[in-house]
Amino acid sequence: MKKSASLLLAVLLLFSFACPAFSEQPGNEMKDFLLKRGYPEEYLDSLIDLQIEFLYDSVSKNDAHFVSLEEKSAETGTPFFDSEVSLTLVLSAVTVRYESENYIEKVLVNATYDWKSLPLFRSTDAMSVSWDYELFSFKQDSFLHCDYAKNRAGEWLTYKEWDAPASISFGSVATYPEIRYVETARGSARGAAGLRGSLCFELVPKEKYTSEKEAADAPQITAIYAHDEKMRSSFYISGGAIGGLSPKTALVSCEAKF
């Protein structure tokens, strides 16, 4: 009996070492961290866990804090099918102390899209972010873009991931969100039950810069999301911007000041 009990205890101990303990809701720790850094609770509540982790990784790695946020939505669709997409632009700052003043060392740009009601045509969309290139320069190797899809089991997964923009210029970057996720089961194909995405990158001031400016003089960063309600999109990306827009292209644009 003692031998059996000892064997059982050994198995349980081995299993406990093989399977590290996780909190029941690990995302809560990330959210609490972001709340302490000033990110609005309403905004964080609107994100899925994958987007919370995406934002947390960038903020924690850079020791950044929240600066500003802007959200806009646009309706799109056909006369018989309505859909809506929202775009949120969030700016964060990494500061350094120099001669009794706080200077901006880096600006973290985070943009998220969310299809609140899904589009009929799902292919490749376009998203761009622009800034004043006389004030800021793009930091190489800082770009990351993830597209997320909800499968038929109701689980969110990372569908596509890029570590470089599709196009870049002196004052803008652009990328192609993929919203064509399809899963096949038992011979039938089905599209996503939800579509979202996140991108982030870093901007570096070209000169010593503080954020203590009048609102009218504060630099502006602009994000744009484009979607065509037809089988093949007419737009394209070139020079960090979206071109070839048609009357059927739905645009949502938001501007955040730093």
Side-chain angles (χ1 to χ4, degrees):
M1 182 69 179
K2 288 184 178 180
K3 185 176 181 181
S4 298
S6 298
L7 180 61
L8 178 60
L9 179 60
V11 170
L12 291 174
L13 286 172
L14 178 63
F15 184 80
S16 67
F17 282 117
C19 301
F22 293 96
S23 61
E24 293 184 1
Q25 294 180 309
N28 283 349
E29 294 181 5
M30 298 182 189
K31 182 180 175 182
D32 289 344
F33 173 87
L34 293 169
L35 285 170
K36 291 176 181 176
R37 293 303 175 102
Y39 295 86
E41 186 170 14
E42 184 177 358
Y43 166 65
L44 297 177
D45 287 342
S46 73
L47 303 178
I48 60 174
D49 288 346
L50 288 169
Q51 290 177 311
I52 290 282
E53 184 178 0
F54 186 96
L55 178 63
Y56 170 84
D57 287 345
S58 175
V59 173
S60 60
K61 178 182 71 176
N62 288 282
D63 194 23
H65 64 269
F66 173 80
V67 174
S68 63
L69 176 152
E70 184 68 30
E71 179 185 1
K72 294 287 179 64
S73 296
E75 294 182 353
T76 179
T78 69
F80 308 102
F81 191 94
D82 293 330
S83 56
E84 181 184 2
V85 61
S86 71
L87 178 65
T88 305
L89 179 62
V90 178
L91 304 181
S92 311
V94 180
T95 58
V96 293
R97 191 77 173 170
Y98 180 74
E99 293 183 351
S100 302
E101 286 194 75
N102 288 324
Y103 287 91
I104 306 300
E105 183 179 38
K106 274 191 280 188
V107 176
L108 306 187
V109 180
N110 188 284
T112 60
Y113 74 84
D114 174 18
W115 280 97
K116 296 184 178 298
S117 52
L118 297 175
L120 178 62
F121 297 108
R122 307 177 192 179
S123 182
T124 302
D125 289 344
M127 185 160 56
S128 68
V129 182
S130 59
W131 61 90
D132 187 340
Y133 69 89
E134 293 184 350
L135 294 177
F136 301 101
S137 59
F138 175 81
K139 184 182 178 184
Q140 295 297 325
D141 301 323
S142 68
F143 184 91
L144 183 62
H145 165 199
C146 293
D147 290 324
Y148 310 110
K150 183 190 284 188
N151 61 21
R152 65 178 62 201
E155 302 166 332
W156 284 98
L157 51 90
T158 302
Y159 168 48
K160 294 285 186 178
E161 183 174 330
W162 293 266
D163 60 6
S167 179
I168 184 171
S169 71
F170 290 110
S172 62
V173 294
T175 186
Y176 288 112
E178 292 278 359
I179 62 169
R180 65 178 86 198
Y181 172 85
V182 175
E183 60 180 312
T184 304
R186 298 178 182 177
S188 64
R190 180 178 174 182
L195 293 166
R196 290 172 175 255
S198 296
L199 73 79
C200 69
F201 61 89
E202 300 170 17
L203 296 175
V204 180
K206 293 185 175 181
E207 298 180 356
K208 285 183 180 179
Y209 177 81
T210 68
S211 59
E212 297 175 359
K213 290 181 176 290
E214 296 294 333
D217 298 326
Q220 178 174 288
I221 296 176
T222 303
I224 297 175
Y225 188 97
H227 171 79
D228 266 359
E229 271 300 340
K230 55 184 182 180
M231 290 298 293
R232 181 173 295 179
S233 301
S234 62
F235 50 71
Y236 56 86
I237 285 176
S238 178
I242 305 171
L245 302 176
S246 76
K248 289 191 175 182
T249 302
L251 284 178
V252 54
S253 174
C254 56
E255 301 81 28
K257 291 194 173 185
F258 194 76

